[in-house]
Amino acid sequence: MDHNNILAVVLAGGKSKRFGDDKSQAKLGGKILIDYILSEIENKFDEVLIVANDPIQHLSSPKIQKTEDVKKNLGPLGGILSAMKWVKSHNKPYQWIASFPSDTPLFKMSLFEDFLEKVNEKESELFFMKTKEKRHNIFGLWNIDLIDQLEKDLENGSRKVEKWANNIGVKTINIEFDKEDPFFNINTKEDLEKAEKILND
């Protein structure tokens, strides 16, 4: 699959309830949390879109754009829909959206490359990464053609990514890693401290 056909999207519209404030802006090793994922992906895609509802600091790059949710409080699925609508309203050529969370500082682009190599776009319109027995619903590849179904289902009350993806027919692709879990995400201040220790080791 051609990277030029994919828009990278970082979902940063969550409320960070367990963290206490906007975790995308937390400092980790002297760097803003969201910048870890941005610095991994921005050189690999033509454009990166951040979906965030509040003003945030982030890596400065002409490739990085920002948009808000088209409708608030719809969770990650709402963020995906907002990104798809951004593609349509700006007449962008992308057929796929690659989604990334803003709170996974250990994730490396090489894992996405491995994932992409295993994607057969004829098999599904939706692909998620999986490690061992865990499916990572925010690390996904979404076909833009899902936009109408997604919007309709959100209007009808769909909120859970897992359930919606199962109904659509998601294909999971196994990703292997050796040491620290690259999908480790920051939900609490304790998680931030743990990540600090991992990065310092």
Side-chain angles (χ1 to χ4, degrees):
M1 186 181 291
D2 186 356
H3 281 68
N4 297 329
N5 206 19
I6 304 170
L7 172 68
V9 173
V10 176
L11 300 175
K15 293 185 176 179
S16 306
K17 287 180 181 176
R18 290 162 63 189
F19 194 80
D21 46 30
D22 188 347
K23 61 184 175 181
S24 79
Q25 301 296 281
K27 283 289 185 72
L28 174 62
K31 188 172 171 180
I32 298 171
L33 186 55
I34 194 173
D35 284 353
Y36 280 88
I37 194 71
L38 288 173
S39 59
E40 276 297 314
I41 67 177
E42 68 112 3
N43 288 327
K44 297 293 184 178
F45 295 93
D46 287 347
E47 286 183 287
V48 178
L49 180 68
I50 300 171
V51 181
N53 297 312
D54 298 320
I56 61 171
Q57 291 184 306
H58 58 78
L59 185 71
S60 179
S61 166
K63 286 186 174 185
I64 298 174
Q65 312 291 328
K66 183 178 170 288
T67 192
E68 293 186 9
D69 279 310
V70 289
K71 190 175 179 183
K72 307 291 190 294
N73 303 317
L74 297 182
L77 287 176
I80 295 297
L81 178 65
S82 302
M84 290 180 173
K85 282 184 169 288
W86 184 87
V87 169
K88 296 286 189 181
S89 65
H90 289 78
N91 294 314
K92 298 291 183 176
Y94 309 113
Q95 185 60 39
W96 296 85
I97 281 173
S99 59
F100 302 90
S102 63
D103 61 357
T104 49
L106 306 181
F107 186 81
K108 298 298 179 189
M109 189 60 193
S110 58
L111 297 170
F112 181 80
E113 299 285 5
D114 183 33
F115 168 70
L116 207 57
E117 279 184 17
K118 296 174 181 176
V119 165
N120 179 350
E121 54 192 287
K122 294 177 182 177
E123 292 183 337
S124 182
E125 291 184 313
L126 181 60
F127 299 86
F128 286 160
M129 294 188 190
K130 182 183 177 186
T131 52
K132 300 184 174 80
E133 298 307 312
K134 185 171 184 181
R135 194 169 87 182
H136 302 282
N137 297 319
I138 306 300
F139 286 93
L141 196 62
W142 316 63
N143 195 302
I144 292 286
D145 291 344
L146 292 169
I147 185 170
D148 292 337
Q149 186 67 51
L150 178 56
E151 185 165 27
K152 177 184 171 185
D153 291 341
L154 281 166
E155 287 173 356
N156 289 333
S158 288
R159 294 293 180 271
K160 293 192 177 296
V161 180
E162 180 118 0
K163 188 175 180 181
W164 187 82
N166 289 344
N167 289 338
I168 287 296
V170 62
K171 171 90 175 171
T172 57
I173 293 178
N174 198 55
I175 302 295
E176 296 180 0
F177 60 90
D178 295 326
K179 297 178 182 177
E180 296 295 341
D181 181 1
F183 297 93
F184 173 68
N185 66 307
I186 310 295
N187 285 315
T188 64
K189 298 284 171 56
E190 288 76 22
D191 290 337
L192 194 68
E193 291 173 10
K194 184 178 177 182
E196 191 88 51
K197 288 177 183 173
I198 292 169
L199 290 172
N200 288 334
D201 282 347

